Amino acid sequence: MGQGADVLSDPALREIASKIAGEIIISDKPGLEMKKWRERFGLTQVEVAALMGVSASVLSDYESGRRKSPGARFVSRFVRSLILRDIERGGIVLSGLRRILLGSESLKQAVLDMREFSIPITIARFCEYISADLVVGAAHMSTPLLGYTVVDSIKLVLDVPSYDYVKLYGATTQRAAIFTRVTYGRSPMVAVKSMQAGMGGLRPALVVLHGVKKVDELGLEIARRENIPLAVTRIEDVNELIDRLRSIK
Amino acid sequence: MGQGADVLSDPALREIASKIAGEIIISDKPGLEMKKWRERFGLTQVEVAALMGVSASVLSDYESGRRKSPGARFVSRFVRSLILRDIERGGIVLSGLRRILLGSESLKQAVLDMREFSIPITIARFCEYISADLVVGAAHMSTPLLGYTVVDSIKLVLDVPSYDYVKLYGATTQRAAIFTRVTYGRSPMVAVKSMQAGMGGLRPALVVLHGVKKVDELGLEIARRENIPLAVTRIEDVNELIDRLRSIK
DNA sequence: GCGCGCCTTCGACAATAGCTTAAAGCATTT
DNA sequence: AAATGCTTTAAGCTATTGTCGAAGGCGCGC
């Protein structure tokens, strides 16, 4: 049980564990479901049994249907052992289960820079660094930022598969999302809002537009209504923008 | 068990059931977790016990900790009874649990029409009905559509909260998403793609733009790369467009 | 104060899970 | 053919669940 508490302290892992356990429990044949998950993790009965501290025939009893209703304690130990073993082996299967955490090549191309700050910086200070004017959300000048992500907005909408979008937020959404090569400024706001749909309302603390002189009125209105601070940088060269960002300590 | 099969045949309910069951199983105190969920559904032990066909003291034994490791069969029955009872009472709690399925007022305003077809209709036929030209995805002319959703794109991006976006798909994504009052045609494509990020890649089978003469090139490119059929309707009046849609049998 | 409903406790028993070891089956490798 | 590894089957035993009904506690309304 001490083992279990350690493994499931990570919310993401706990979510996966809950999912697996739930599927096993509501299944008409819990044993078969256990087998499915065991095989999905690429583990043998012997291996899982060793991790659980029981003999392999225990698992066989369930998987073959001899035992029909595993108890909560057993299932919990079973799931934890799957997860623990996968973690020990590099977490390959778990990675697949939470595919959204893996970065595709196109994402790497679209993300020009990304960083977490060791010390939070206010939106006001951040905007100074990159010569940006806050056009929406003046009340947020003192909001702290914990990092930023610079994306090539054209590559983002054309090349990056949608399942990679969530990775733009890295370890925290308390960051600035900087869209470069923007034409009007509407699409970034639409994208940010639409991305919220399946992400529990997650969105960046600040959106910065680069390459646009006058923001499209609809884009502005979206920012106002969604209460998302929106800034426009006066820097024209993307590389200079990135240099400025990297100078932030 | 026959009862269980009926209740969980709905994928959405099954998802909720799995979630609840999983939480109970991986909890260090399954009985307390059961109590939490029972109370969350606003049910008494007596009521749940009656639904499960056992005496109330059985539930008390678990919730009080006298019994520590409920079996899969028991937990499954427990969860099903919660769901069944809530459904009988109008599904209020379940609705809260899957809030994304409830429509907010602004969504109602933004959705001009929405329907499922009793008989699938091909994209080609569908476009004929609404005088639409397929500009991307000619190979999809025979793809079947099971329904459509007509949205006011301006209201969608301005008024509708992002958590309501998923409801645009109703019972199936194998539908046409029709955006009215479109200016360039880029935002709808950006929105559709961005919405996929947290929704497991779900997207409509066809996107129809209304109100635009020439689709923005980036919008076209998104459609091509995402392999989303894109059509533009020649009808100018929104009401006529809706009348046409409603004439589809 | 009484009745009612919900919850808890308790004793008791049947059924089954949890678990072991040994043997057998099966596929693959040496 | 023998060895190896994984899986299944079987017998058997202990521990625990699943379940009951009776009794008691508590809060609320009449």
Side-chain angles (χ1 to χ4, degrees):
Chain A
M1 286 305 276
Q3 172 198 64
D6 293 337
V7 170
L8 298 191
S9 53
D10 176 351
L13 290 181
R14 192 173 183 88
E15 194 68 35
I16 293 176
S18 173
K19 173 68 180 173
I20 297 172
E23 293 283 334
I24 291 172
I25 295 299
I26 65 172
S27 165
D28 289 333
K29 301 198 181 182
L32 276 188
E33 196 70 17
M34 283 168 60
K35 181 173 185 179
K36 186 193 101 182
W37 283 103
R38 174 178 64 77
E39 290 176 340
R40 188 160 179 179
F41 277 83
L43 302 174
T44 63
Q45 288 181 350
V46 176
E47 210 165 357
V48 176
L51 287 165
M52 290 177 72
V54 298
S55 63
S57 60
V58 174
L59 291 173
S60 181
D61 282 342
Y62 285 110
E63 296 185 6
S64 66
R66 182 173 180 243
R67 294 277 184 255
K68 301 205 191 306
S69 180
R73 194 175 294 143
F74 187 87
V75 174
S76 181
R77 286 162 58 204
F78 173 75
V79 174
R80 287 166 209 260
S81 70
L82 296 184
I83 292 176
L84 182 63
R85 190 74 186 104
D86 195 65
I87 289 176
E88 290 174 352
R89 300 198 301 185
I92 302 295
V93 177
L94 287 170
S95 296
L97 287 175
R98 56 185 179 185
R99 187 184 59 188
I100 59 177
L101 295 182
L102 286 181
S104 65
E105 188 57 36
S106 55
L107 181 70
K108 292 194 187 92
Q109 297 297 323
V111 177
L112 307 179
D113 195 21
M114 189 172 180
R115 187 158 140 239
E116 323 295 323
F117 300 135
S118 50
I119 303 176
I121 179 178
T122 63
I123 285 183
R125 289 281 297 143
F126 185 79
C127 289
E128 279 179 22
Y129 268 101
I130 58 174
S131 300
D133 305 305
L134 205 55
V135 295
V136 173
H140 294 268
M141 297 293 259
S142 56
T143 299
L145 295 176
L146 301 182
Y148 64 79
T149 305
V150 188
V151 296
D152 179 313
S153 60
I154 304 294
K155 286 180 180 169
L156 181 70
V157 296
L158 287 188
D159 301 333
V160 181
S162 55
Y163 59 76
D164 270 348
Y165 278 19
V166 71
K167 292 167 209 158
L168 297 172
Y169 293 150
T172 177
T173 57
Q174 199 63 24
R175 70 197 312 112
I178 304 162
F179 293 87
T180 61
R181 298 168 60 190
V182 172
T183 313
Y184 310 106
R186 184 192 292 191
S187 296
M189 297 316 302
V190 170
V192 166
K193 179 171 179 178
S194 302
M195 275 166 68
Q196 292 187 64
M199 302 190 200
L202 294 182
R203 80 273 189 91
L206 170 71
V207 171
V208 180
L209 304 180
H210 161 267
V212 65
K213 291 297 183 296
K214 179 172 171 20
V215 185
D216 169 78
E217 183 57 37
L218 198 69
L220 285 175
E221 193 59 23
I222 293 177
R224 289 189 198 109
R225 298 194 182 198
E226 294 298 315
N227 202 23
I228 301 176
L230 176 62
V232 178
T233 177
R234 275 171 268 119
I235 302 176
E236 301 197 343
D237 182 47
V238 175
N239 290 321
E240 186 186 344
L241 174 62
I242 292 176
D243 286 341
R244 292 278 195 92
L245 287 165
R246 286 178 178 164
S247 71
I248 300 177
K249 300 168 25 75
Chain B
M1 286 307 273
Q3 172 198 63
D6 293 336
V7 171
L8 299 191
S9 54
D10 176 351
L13 289 181
R14 193 172 183 88
E15 193 69 32
I16 293 177
S18 172
K19 175 67 179 172
I20 297 173
E23 293 285 334
I24 291 172
I25 294 298
I26 65 173
S27 166
D28 289 333
K29 301 197 180 177
L32 276 189
E33 196 69 18
M34 282 169 62
K35 180 173 184 176
K36 187 191 102 180
W37 282 104
R38 174 178 63 78
E39 290 176 343
R40 189 161 177 177
F41 276 83
L43 302 174
T44 64
Q45 288 180 351
V46 175
E47 209 165 358
V48 176
L51 286 165
M52 290 178 71
V54 297
S55 65
S57 59
V58 174
L59 290 173
S60 182
D61 282 342
Y62 283 109
E63 296 186 6
S64 66
R66 183 178 182 230
R67 293 278 184 254
K68 301 204 190 308
S69 179
R73 194 176 293 145
F74 187 86
V75 175
S76 181
R77 285 161 60 203
F78 172 77
V79 173
R80 287 166 208 258
S81 71
L82 296 185
I83 291 175
L84 181 64
R85 189 75 186 103
D86 194 65
I87 289 175
E88 290 172 351
R89 300 199 300 186
I92 302 297
V93 177
L94 287 170
S95 296
L97 287 175
R98 58 184 179 185
R99 186 187 61 184
I100 59 176
L101 293 184
L102 285 182
S104 64
E105 188 54 38
S106 54
L107 181 70
K108 293 192 186 98
Q109 297 297 324
V111 176
L112 307 179
D113 195 20
M114 189 172 181
R115 190 161 137 234
E116 323 294 322
F117 302 134
S118 48
I119 304 176
I121 178 177
T122 62
I123 286 183
R125 288 284 295 145
F126 185 78
C127 288
E128 278 179 24
Y129 268 101
I130 57 174
S131 302
D133 305 304
L134 205 56
V135 295
V136 171
H140 294 266
M141 297 293 258
S142 57
T143 299
L145 295 177
L146 301 181
Y148 64 79
T149 305
V150 188
V151 295
D152 179 311
S153 61
I154 305 293
K155 285 180 180 168
L156 182 69
V157 297
L158 287 188
D159 301 333
V160 182
S162 55
Y163 60 74
D164 268 350
Y165 279 17
V166 71
K167 292 167 211 161
L168 297 172
Y169 293 150
T172 178
T173 56
Q174 199 64 24
R175 68 194 317 114
I178 304 163
F179 295 87
T180 62
R181 297 168 62 191
V182 173
T183 312
Y184 310 107
R186 183 191 292 191
S187 296
M189 298 315 304
V190 170
V192 166
K193 178 171 181 180
S194 302
M195 275 166 67
Q196 292 187 63
M199 300 189 203
L202 293 181
R203 78 269 188 95
L206 170 71
V207 171
V208 180
L209 305 181
H210 161 269
V212 65
K213 290 297 182 301
K214 181 173 173 9
V215 185
D216 169 77
E217 184 56 38
L218 198 70
L220 284 175
E221 192 61 22
I222 293 177
R224 291 190 197 109
R225 298 195 181 200
E226 294 298 316
N227 201 23
I228 301 176
L230 175 63
V232 178
T233 177
R234 275 171 269 118
I235 302 176
E236 299 197 344
D237 182 50
V238 174
N239 289 322
E240 186 188 343
L241 172 62
I242 292 175
D243 287 341
R244 292 278 195 90
L245 288 165
R246 286 178 178 165
S247 71
I248 300 176
K249 301 172 20 79

